[in-house]
Amino acid sequence: MIEAGAVAGLEWADTAFPPPIDAAQQVSREVLDRDGRLLRAFATPEGLWRLKTTAAGVDPRYLRMLIAYEDQRFNAHGGIDPLALGRATLQFLGNGRIVSGASTLSMQVARLIEPRESRSLLAKLRQMARAIQIERRLSKAEILDLYLTHAPYGGNLEGVRAASLAYFGKEPKRLSVAEAALLVALPQLPERRRPDRHRAAAEAARERVLSRLAVAAVIGEGEAERATAEAVPSRRLQLPALAAHVAELARRTKPDATAHRTTLSAPVQERLEAVARAAAEKLGPKLSVAMVMADARTGAVVAEVGSAGYFDASRSGFIDMTRINRSPGSALKPFIYGLAFEEGLVAQETIVEDRPADFFGYRPRNFDMSYQGDVTVRHALQLSLNVPAVRLLDAVGPTRLMVRLRRAEVRPVLPAGEAPGLAIGLGGVGITLRDLVQLYAALANEGRMVRLGNGVDRDPDVLVADPLLDRAAVWTVTDILSAVLPPKSSRRLGLAYKTGTSYGYRDAWSVGYDGRHVLGVWVGRADNGAVPGLTGYDSAAPILFEAFARSGVAITALPRAPAGAVRIAQSELPIGLRRFATNANGLVTASAREPAPEIVYPPEGAHVELGATGGGDIMPLSLKLQGGRAPFRWLANGRLLPDASRRRQAQWTPEGAGYSTLTVIDAAGRAASVRIFVE
């Protein structure tokens, strides 16, 4: 009866006063790369680096050494080792002092999760009781994981992973015998044996572990002697602190998670951050660098550098410049040319004028204030000439360019109250680096558009339904951009790339791609200050090539030409494609001798997105025609548009969504019509 009562009393006590196991689960939050490698960790609220550790993530040899040194019968006892306890008691009675301890790993876990205030006999008895309670609740594997996570290693380091990263600069998955022995030795007296402060004491403690016979038996003959020759680390390293902006986004996205898996690659991220830091130092004070590298086929972000240094206040490093709208300069020109190629308005060897021009009050000038005269379209894009780009944008229509960008789920920001105009071709619009990379990813992906991930959560292969451009137009643009010479001191990598410089030398851009990856670079000041001499070619492009070369990403060949995509010599071009020019009457070609009018935009059967189904303001549609004799009359669904015009372009704002018929009539009474669908 008394025994039954005692058992019941112990059961009641065990239930009423459980060990604080749940509280011991609090660990540092971790941000991991796509392969589970640590990008960044955050200290616990107490300021501790306590990284969750399991036996599966630790070198098996270290585990054998730990058990051999600390608790040889760990897998057999129930929390207390009677043999070790008896040996320690006899040694104490015979020597009058503690010669060896009797703490099992379970007892050490009890002390770690519920620190004792003193080293009294009562505290020891309580620790033993807690060890028995822990053994009743947890498996041996779970107890070992708690020890691996909470063992102290000096300062604010707790757990084998934090210690291995801080002292050896690596995860504890693979440890040398010397490294494993040091990690076994430190937790007994972590402050007195810290290798960064007490190197001799750390070395002596490691020797004691290696000299233990039980340890020698599990590490192999001669290993201990070789391990003693290995130097003890003399300094503490910083834990990984990569992708600061993505890490903060991950914490905001899932504030309660202890581990956040991203799409980033830790090695690529580390190399690009190093390139950004070095480049910013070279460029000068207050300048920052941002980069985004993505997989063009899946949209997964491989690396994202929001600034040259997250903690560099002089460069406003805390601002994530990959997500800030800035003027892209000439970086959108390839998409203007792509539309012109797609419509068959020009070919690579078509001659286009690079001379001063007035587009109804808008007078674009080239960056160097000089003009090349007659140039081929190929050279105009390679040299990033402004006037030819505006001529082509005037032909295809700025609204159409904006519609294509929005089709790619990119939302450029126009000045307040302004409709799309010709200035957007030269940077008169705001766009983020991430959006620019998403656009160029379509060029690397043969026109197929993929939604760029945020680096944290991502559904793979999220393709946007419609292509940005047809494959032939994309190949033609890529063929031109891949022949642009790299910056000075940069070697050829097989990339197609484009640069951009915003008005006033505020932003420098460079975006390049191979057949698989796209990398975008932004350089500038976070406060939008002007930087004299800052250009895309001289400032951003060298960073692009260095980052691509040092990233470790294998260069993939650019896509081959699709059927129908060829580079034709000028002498072999149809006469209508040999020259592209504009005059006071609008679009003409060398073969234009007053042919019948033809509506070239919008084309027959086109679905045009103007915001008619979104409930907001409907955007105007640019109308373009070739041929015919001025003046021209436009009709929409049989209703005359106001005023006849001698221009071969007009604007029409539909009343709503649905099918519409557009008709133009020239001075000779000849007419042309197209039927379109407004969305």
Side-chain angles (χ1 to χ4, degrees):
M1 189 73 175
I2 295 175
E3 292 179 358
V7 171
L10 290 174
E11 288 288 347
W12 174 85
D14 180 60
T15 304
F17 303 100
I21 294 174
D22 291 340
Q25 303 305 317
Q26 187 177 68
V27 294
S28 295
R29 293 183 180 179
E30 301 178 35
V31 180
L32 310 173
D33 82 343
R34 62 191 183 189
D35 298 314
R37 288 171 292 210
L38 183 64
L39 287 168
R40 185 180 179 87
F42 295 90
T44 67
E46 299 81 19
L48 299 173
W49 295 112
R50 182 192 294 151
L51 305 180
K52 183 174 178 60
T53 312
T54 64
V58 177
D59 193 319
R61 184 164 48 183
Y62 161 80
L63 296 175
R64 293 194 296 268
M65 293 171 65
L66 173 68
I67 293 174
Y69 188 78
E70 290 285 0
D71 191 354
Q72 295 180 39
R73 286 170 289 279
F74 171 67
N75 291 307
H77 62 67
I80 301 172
D81 185 351
L83 294 178
L85 187 62
R87 183 198 68 239
T89 301
L90 290 174
Q91 289 175 338
F92 176 76
L93 294 175
N95 295 275
R97 62 184 177 84
I98 297 175
V99 176
S100 65
S103 291
T104 63
L105 286 174
S106 303
M107 292 170 63
Q108 292 184 51
V109 167
R111 174 171 54 82
L112 292 173
I113 65 175
E114 190 177 32
R116 61 192 180 191
E117 297 179 359
S118 64
R119 294 176 61 87
S120 65
L121 178 60
L122 182 61
K124 194 70 172 180
L125 292 172
R126 179 174 180 174
Q127 186 184 117
M128 294 166 66
R130 286 300 198 197
I132 294 172
Q133 287 183 296
I134 291 171
E135 288 274 355
R136 296 184 65 183
R137 287 166 170 79
L138 301 178
S139 67
K140 289 291 185 179
E142 292 171 326
I143 294 171
L144 184 58
D145 288 350
L146 276 178
Y147 177 85
L148 297 175
T149 300
H150 289 269
Y153 284 90
N156 62 348
L157 294 176
E158 284 195 3
V160 174
R161 278 187 67 208
S164 182
L165 289 165
Y167 293 133
F168 311 134
K170 65 180 183 180
E171 293 278 354
K173 191 76 174 178
R174 288 190 178 90
L175 298 170
S176 68
V177 170
E179 291 167 343
L182 183 62
L183 294 178
V184 169
L186 293 183
Q188 288 115 42
L189 294 169
E191 291 302 327
R192 296 182 188 178
R193 296 176 177 176
R194 283 181 59 170
D196 59 328
R197 294 186 179 180
H198 308 288
R199 187 174 181 181
E203 195 171 76
R206 185 185 67 178
E207 303 303 317
R208 281 194 290 274
V209 172
L210 293 170
S211 64
R212 182 73 63 86
L213 292 177
V215 173
V218 299
I219 64 175
E221 185 178 354
E223 287 290 338
E225 184 178 351
R226 284 190 288 270
T228 57
E230 190 173 317
V232 169
S234 59
R235 63 189 181 95
R236 174 175 162 174
L237 306 174
Q238 182 182 359
L239 267 63
L242 300 171
H245 297 93
V246 174
E248 292 291 350
L249 175 64
R251 285 212 306 174
R252 293 194 302 270
T253 303
K254 294 182 179 179
D256 297 328
T258 57
H260 305 269
R261 183 67 69 94
T262 69
T263 63
L264 307 184
S265 168
V268 179
Q269 181 72 28
E270 185 174 16
R271 292 162 189 156
L272 263 60
E273 287 191 15
V275 170
R277 284 194 302 270
E281 288 294 330
K282 185 178 179 180
L283 287 166
K286 298 186 178 181
L287 279 163
S288 192
V289 177
M291 286 187 271
V292 175
M293 176 177 272
D295 187 320
R297 298 179 188 174
T298 68
V301 174
V302 178
E304 183 169 316
V305 182
S307 67
Y310 185 78
F311 297 104
D312 190 343
S314 68
R315 304 179 194 276
S316 302
F318 58 91
I319 300 177
D320 184 355
M321 295 306 300
T322 69
R323 300 169 186 272
I324 302 298
N325 282 301
R326 303 296 279 263
S327 166
S330 299
L332 293 179
K333 285 179 181 175
F335 306 98
I336 299 172
Y337 283 80
L339 285 171
F341 290 135
E342 185 179 86
E343 282 299 304
L345 299 179
V346 293
Q348 289 198 43
E349 299 302 320
T350 299
I351 296 297
V352 61
E353 290 185 8
D354 179 38
R355 295 183 176 86
D358 186 338
F359 296 88
F360 304 96
Y362 179 58
R363 300 179 179 88
R365 295 176 295 181
N366 286 327
F367 185 78
D368 60 2
M369 306 301 291
S370 65
Y371 298 90
Q372 303 291 319
D374 283 355
V375 294
T376 65
V377 165
R378 179 181 179 86
H379 288 154
L381 177 54
Q382 290 176 338
L383 297 174
S384 196
L385 301 177
N386 288 342
V387 175
V390 173
R391 291 187 189 279
L392 291 178
L393 181 59
D394 185 44
V396 300
T399 299
R400 186 166 179 231
L401 175 63
M402 291 293 286
V403 168
R404 287 297 178 97
L405 299 185
R406 289 172 179 171
R407 179 191 292 182
E409 299 189 0
V410 170
R411 294 289 186 267
V413 178
L414 290 165
E418 289 193 16
L422 296 178
I424 66 176
L426 306 183
V429 67
I431 195 170
T432 69
L433 178 60
R434 286 175 49 82
D435 281 348
L436 205 56
V437 168
Q438 180 163 314
L439 287 173
Y440 275 80
L443 298 181
N445 203 26
E446 299 185 278
R448 295 185 297 270
M449 295 180 292
V450 65
R451 190 176 302 117
L452 208 66
N454 63 6
V456 181
D457 297 315
R458 150 135 206 96
D459 296 325
D461 303 319
V462 182
L463 287 171
V464 179
D466 297 319
L468 179 62
L469 295 165
D470 67 39
R471 291 182 64 195
V474 169
W475 178 85
T476 305
V477 170
T478 297
D479 185 53
I480 293 172
L481 296 182
S482 63
V484 178
L485 292 176
K488 295 178 181 178
S489 303
S490 299
R491 62 186 180 90
R492 284 184 175 272
L493 297 176
L495 305 179
Y497 82 104
K498 183 71 182 73
T499 62
T501 306
S502 69
Y503 178 77
Y505 302 97
R506 287 176 167 81
D507 309 274
W509 307 78
S510 186
V511 188
Y513 57 95
D514 63 2
R516 183 62 189 261
H517 292 95
V518 57
L519 173 62
V521 176
W522 169 88
V523 179
R525 288 177 49 160
D527 62 4
N528 203 28
V531 184
L534 183 75
T535 67
Y537 186 78
D538 293 325
S539 304
I543 300 174
L544 170 77
F545 276 78
E546 183 180 4
F548 235 120
R550 292 182 56 185
S551 68
V553 173
I555 301 296
T556 304
L558 291 164
R560 295 181 178 180
V566 291
R567 193 190 308 162
I568 304 174
Q570 186 183 21
S571 60
E572 298 178 0
L573 287 174
I575 192 169
L577 283 177
R578 292 182 184 178
R579 172 175 289 275
F580 177 90
T582 55
N583 59 22
N585 290 330
L587 182 64
V588 297
T589 67
S591 62
R593 297 177 62 87
E594 201 182 285
E598 177 188 1
I599 299 175
V600 295
Y601 187 80
E604 173 66 32
H607 284 236
V608 185
E609 182 182 343
L610 300 174
T613 58
D617 294 336
I618 301 177
M619 297 174 61
L621 175 64
S622 292
L623 310 177
K624 296 282 186 178
L625 69 92
Q626 284 182 331
R629 183 192 305 172
F632 305 101
R633 281 281 188 181
W634 285 90
L635 297 88
N637 298 318
R639 296 181 182 178
L640 279 172
L641 300 187
D643 303 325
S645 173
R646 301 191 65 83
R647 296 185 59 199
R648 285 177 165 78
Q649 61 182 14
Q651 280 195 337
W652 166 64
T653 302
E655 297 179 355
Y659 282 102
S660 291
T661 300
L662 299 172
T663 302
V664 65
I665 303 173
D666 74 349
R670 295 170 297 183
S673 297
V674 294
R675 183 172 170 79
I676 65 170
F677 187 83
V678 176
E679 299 178 343

